[in-house]
Amino acid sequence: MADFGGELDTFRAEARAWLEENFPKSLRRSEEAAMEAAMSGERPSGEADVWRRRIVDKGWGTPTWPKEYGGGDLTPAEARLLQQEMARIGAFNPIVGMGPGMFGSTLLEYGTEDQKRRHLPSITRGELRWCQGYSEPGAGSDLASLQTKCEDAGDHWVVNGQKIWTSGAQYADWCFCLVRTDPKAKKHEGISFVLINMRQPGVEVRPIRLIAGSSPFCETFFTNARVERNDMVGPLNGGWTIAKRLLQFERSGQGGMRGQGQVSIAEIAKKYVGLDDEGRLADQDLRSRLAAHMINAKAHALTLQRATAEARGNLNPSATTSVMKNSGTQIGQERAELAIEVMGACGLGWEGEDFTAEEKAAVRQWLSGKATTIFGGSQEIQSNIISKRILGLPDTTKST
């Protein structure tokens, strides 16, 4: 595998050539749009399915995973270059969602060989979808207070309880889920990590309609749902450690620059606001705020590149993902707000022929983006992690 230096230039050239030859130009869209399509339940067909099969055969759907499970065996630096080259031509990775983005990476670290062989290949091929069973009505920010029960039934486990905000649950085939296996233990110590087949009678999913007009989040009810003995990941009552690692992978993905491949905010502003006689954006105040936003976005992107370089061969995220999660989601929200502002009255479109598809999408992205500083651990939760695990500040929540 290539390391750092001249060999990365060689890899970039190879990736660029392969993408130019294999990516159907008619499919140009941003990574964010590809994720939204996947969360809507859309299955690839036509040229989209051709692209899926090509990138799966190359192993680049899950680029840093081992080849033996269908991955590309790339270094983090190579994977970053691949992402950049895809964004350059408007290509996207069709292998998206919680399977490749969160669960698969966690299973690579904590799963048995049998579990990896059974579950990872279908994720790398984009054949099965996964959802996350973490939050409950009484266990959101204080996730360790979860009460969904998992009881020993001899040759299998039985799960009863309710989860909420289970994104994409109505389309999911499987759920990686936190359950309470020892109600008498301390709340962090009585939790296990199990895999639940969503296609069984004991699972009921109710989509929640959101302000943006979509229903990506769901309520999920388990009534005597069955979990096989070999679908508990890690030791009994040892799920909290695995849960925290998975959240690091989730936040690592959220800390990336959303909207790669989108039209730049500067180009949108030029289109709707116009230029003055000197070729500058006509609104001086907006010009200053756009410049500040673009500087912050560039600084975030460069920090991601530096973190990739510093990681070398280490594929595992650290507590610094909390920093990038807060930074990336704030920048994404700021961009959405600026886009609505520069579009003026055109940025209020919801439906009808009076608004373009770009304008209607901007409104929905602005509304749906409000959730990004909440899900995956709220901004306040990330700030606590940063203060304790990175800055080493004292825990002021402990009683004296």
Side-chain angles (χ1 to χ4, degrees), residues 61-137:
T62 47
T64 60
W65 290 14
K67 286 186 177 180
E68 60 185 304
Y69 305 120
D73 230 2
L74 302 185
T75 66
E78 289 171 330
R80 178 64 65 183
L81 288 183
L82 174 62
Q83 186 180 44
Q84 292 172 359
E85 288 303 309
M86 292 175 73
R88 186 184 64 83
I89 64 170
F92 61 92
N93 187 345
I95 310 302
V96 294
M98 296 185 178
M102 296 158 58
F103 169 66
S105 299
T106 306
L107 195 67
L108 279 170
E109 186 171 344
Y110 289 96
T112 64
E113 187 60 29
D114 170 69
Q115 289 169 341
K116 295 174 187 177
R117 296 287 180 187
R118 285 190 294 117
H119 294 295
L120 293 180
S122 63
I123 294 176
T124 64
R125 295 190 297 266
E127 294 175 346
L128 296 180
R129 298 182 177 183
W130 289 78
C131 63
Q132 178 183 27
Y134 270 33
S135 295
E136 297 181 5

Side-chain angles (χ1 to χ4, degrees), residues 330-390:
Q330 284 182 305
I331 289 170
Q333 288 181 349
E334 186 178 70
R335 183 196 186 281
E337 290 168 2
L338 285 168
I340 292 294
E341 179 181 349
V342 300
M343 288 180 177
C346 294
L348 302 176
W350 189 256
E351 59 187 7
E353 298 179 357
D354 293 334
F355 301 94
T356 67
E358 177 188 58
E359 291 163 352
K360 288 181 280 190
V363 175
R364 285 166 170 76
Q365 289 172 4
W366 168 61
L367 290 171
S368 63
K370 296 300 181 183
T372 61
T373 46
I374 301 174
F375 62 55
S378 68
Q379 195 170 29
E380 293 77 13
I381 292 292
Q382 306 316 312
S383 295
N384 280 340
I385 292 173
I386 294 166
S387 68
K388 296 175 187 176
R389 301 181 188 172
I390 298 177

